[in-house]
Amino acid sequence: MADLELIHGLLTPADSKILLLVLDGLGGLPIEPGGLTELEAASTPNMDRLAAEGIVGLHQPVGPGIAPGSGPGHIGLFGYDAIRYQIGRGVLEALGIGFDLQADDLAARGNFCTIDSEGNITDRRAGRISTERCRELCGELQQIRVPGVQIFVEPVREHRFLLVLRGDGLVEGVADTDPGRVGSPPLPVTAERAEAEATAEVVRRFVDEAQRRLAGREPANMVLLRGFARLPDWPRFPETFGLRSIAVAQYPMYRGVAKLVGMDTEEVGPSRDDLFAALQRVWPGYDFAFVHVKETDRAGEDGDFDRKVSVIEEIDGYIPAIVDLQPDVILVTGDHSTPAVLRSHSWHPVPFLLWSRTCRSDEMEHFGERWCLRGGGGMRRSEDLMPLVLANAGRLAKFGA
Ligand code: ZN
């Protein structure tokens, strides 16, 4: 499913409003087999009330057995097939630091690395230099001039940086220069197709000059580049689904992914009150608001089961304020699972809770994986949630006569 054209063709006008609350990495696992997951262990009376009136279920991002990044996880929730609509690595890196990527930009992920006197790589991460050192070196590389092209070199973290080339005619199709192993030199800059040759030449000149400027600056005496990508030209979310849409998120990466599909974005302060105050502020002007909570995923990645539980409980405390906004449809879910016991994103299907006035009761009175497994929402691909949400919002007409 997730046929964007089909859904678009069925749109019917309505003034209903939709709220998508994403608790990043929401899905979990018990500490001991047979025990409770983070969501099951959390006391969530407000979400449970919505679950009792609505339906719960599980959604599968990307595909069975696949642990997705947050980029594809969100792309799926926004109704797009995450395999067809892939975000280039360079673009993802730019989104992560809030770099304002333009339509003509070509972005790549960069690593400072160490090469020996023969030119062979001895450390692909340059001993994980400090972010401060990375910033100094980026300042140095930012001085590089290539005619006709504007160059941005932005520090990310430790040895990682973002390279953005801005100019006419830059295209995708430049191969990675990172061989992915030590003991051999960085790969020469090559074009993967003939049309990318001029772009490859620009990159070549940058890399040659970077190597000259970094000589003697061990451990960071060379650069590796990968994931050359431009902003994708995708169907825009607001037009495709007929929704004035906004993302309310504290981290640039999530505002960035929303911006990729054409949503407006709202920058918010660091506290949880800031996040929900921002939602209240923007709510009157939009049909669809996506609110992103990062800390569930962070606690999962830190292996902190108890903290993940308490973040879920704290967010539950904001549900009454959300209900007061009188959304017609509320979808609470995650973009993937991040079980604390695994300390990483995982392939497990993600719990969701869908509330509207037109839900059938599924007799599930709690929001948690074991209820979701038996709930009326069933097991769906992530991208199939958007059509369900639209139908519940009264925004899809009958198909066929
Ligand atoms: Zn995530």
Side-chain angles (χ1 to χ4, degrees):
M1 256 290 288
D3 183 331
L4 296 180
E5 268 178 49
L6 171 72
I7 298 302
H8 179 73
L10 293 176
L11 290 182
T12 188
D15 54 11
S16 53
K17 287 161 91 81
I18 299 163
L19 188 115
L20 167 62
L21 174 61
V22 174
L23 283 71
D24 204 295
L26 177 64
L29 280 175
I31 296 174
E32 297 290 339
L36 300 175
T37 68
E38 296 91 326
L39 179 59
E40 290 168 354
S43 164
T44 55
N46 298 305
M47 292 188 205
D48 289 350
R49 198 167 310 128
L50 291 180
E53 292 178 12
I55 57 170
V56 295
L58 293 166
H59 71 88
Q60 175 73 66
V62 189
I66 295 173
S70 284
H74 279 86
I75 288 300
L77 287 178
F78 296 159
Y80 297 74
D81 177 337
I83 295 175
R84 175 164 172 207
Y85 296 99
Q86 291 191 36
I87 310 170
R89 282 172 166 239
V91 171
L92 212 50
E93 198 80 356
L95 301 183
I97 61 166
F99 185 88
D100 189 16
L101 218 50
Q102 310 286 306
D104 289 335
D105 291 353
L106 183 71
R109 281 169 82 145
N111 271 18
F112 287 103
C113 71
T114 315
I115 55 172
D116 63 17
S117 55
E118 251 105 81
N120 292 321
I121 301 167
T122 57
D123 185 342
R124 289 177 53 248
R125 300 182 182 86
R128 291 192 185 274
I129 51 169
S130 70
T131 304
E132 194 40 52
R133 180 81 180 126
C134 180
R135 186 177 324 244
E136 288 166 30
L137 294 170
C138 286
E140 172 74 28
L141 299 190
Q142 177 89 55
Q143 310 299 319
I144 295 174
R145 298 284 173 260
V146 175
V149 177
Q150 205 179 347
I151 295 175
F152 302 86
V153 185
E154 303 285 336
V156 176
R157 203 152 62 93
E158 297 177 333
H159 56 282
R160 283 166 48 203
F161 65 89
L162 166 74
L163 171 67
V164 175
L165 304 171
R166 179 171 296 168
D168 286 342
L170 297 174
V171 296
E172 293 185 353
V174 177
D176 295 355
T177 72
D178 184 351
R181 59 174 188 277
V182 297
S184 61
L187 300 171
V189 178
T190 54
E192 291 168 324
R193 51 199 181 96
E195 309 85 81
E197 187 44 54
T199 304
E201 180 54 26
V202 170
V203 176
R204 216 169 278 138
R205 293 176 73 160
F206 172 81
V207 171
D208 289 349
E209 180 63 13
Q211 179 168 15
R212 203 182 64 72
R213 286 176 184 245
L214 294 172
R217 301 205 181 202
E218 283 79 357
N221 63 355
M222 185 51 179
V223 295
L224 299 173
L225 300 171
R226 59 199 168 114
F228 287 92
R230 286 167 48 119
L231 276 183
D233 184 19
W234 292 347
R236 288 165 49 88
F237 183 95
E239 286 77 10
T240 302
F241 298 117
L243 299 167
R244 296 172 299 159
S245 308
I246 188 162
V248 181
Q250 285 162 323
Y251 286 74
M253 155 91 185
Y254 306 94
R255 291 196 299 274
V257 174
K259 213 190 277 182
L260 268 192
V261 296
M263 288 188 207
D264 290 346
T265 59
E266 180 76 358
E267 222 165 302
V268 292
S271 79
R272 205 148 289 146
D273 280 346
D274 292 336
L275 183 68
F276 288 96
L279 169 64
Q280 274 167 343
R281 196 163 61 237
V282 303
W283 181 250
Y286 289 90
D287 308 310
F288 179 97
F290 150 55
V291 180
H292 180 263
V293 175
K294 175 69 181 168
E295 286 73 18
T296 28
D297 177 62
R298 178 145 297 166
E301 292 215 319
D302 289 347
D304 194 333
F305 188 99
D306 293 342
R307 197 169 93 237
K308 191 169 163 192
V309 170
S310 67
V311 173
I312 294 168
E313 292 181 341
E314 282 172 44
I315 297 302
D316 189 69
Y318 287 92
I319 294 289
I322 288 175
V323 171
D324 281 349
L325 295 174
Q326 298 185 302
D328 297 277
V329 181
I330 302 173
L331 176 62
V332 185
T333 188
D335 53 338
H336 51 78
S337 295
T338 307
V341 286
L342 296 181
R343 292 176 173 264
S344 66
H345 294 196
S346 77
W347 63 92
H348 300 88
V350 187
F352 73 85
L353 149 55
L354 176 69
W355 179 92
S356 82
R357 293 188 188 287
T358 51
C359 284
R360 284 182 183 144
S361 171
D362 60 3
E363 308 260 302
M364 296 297 142
E365 301 196 332
H366 295 281
F367 186 34
E369 285 83 343
R370 69 188 61 203
W371 293 285
C372 290
L373 187 59
R374 292 179 284 139
M379 171 83 82
R380 314 194 170 269
R381 303 196 326 170
S382 308
E383 59 268 37
D384 291 335
L385 289 175
M386 259 319 285
L388 260 186
V389 162
L390 289 166
N392 275 276
R395 286 175 172 269
L396 292 186
K398 181 167 65 178
F399 174 71

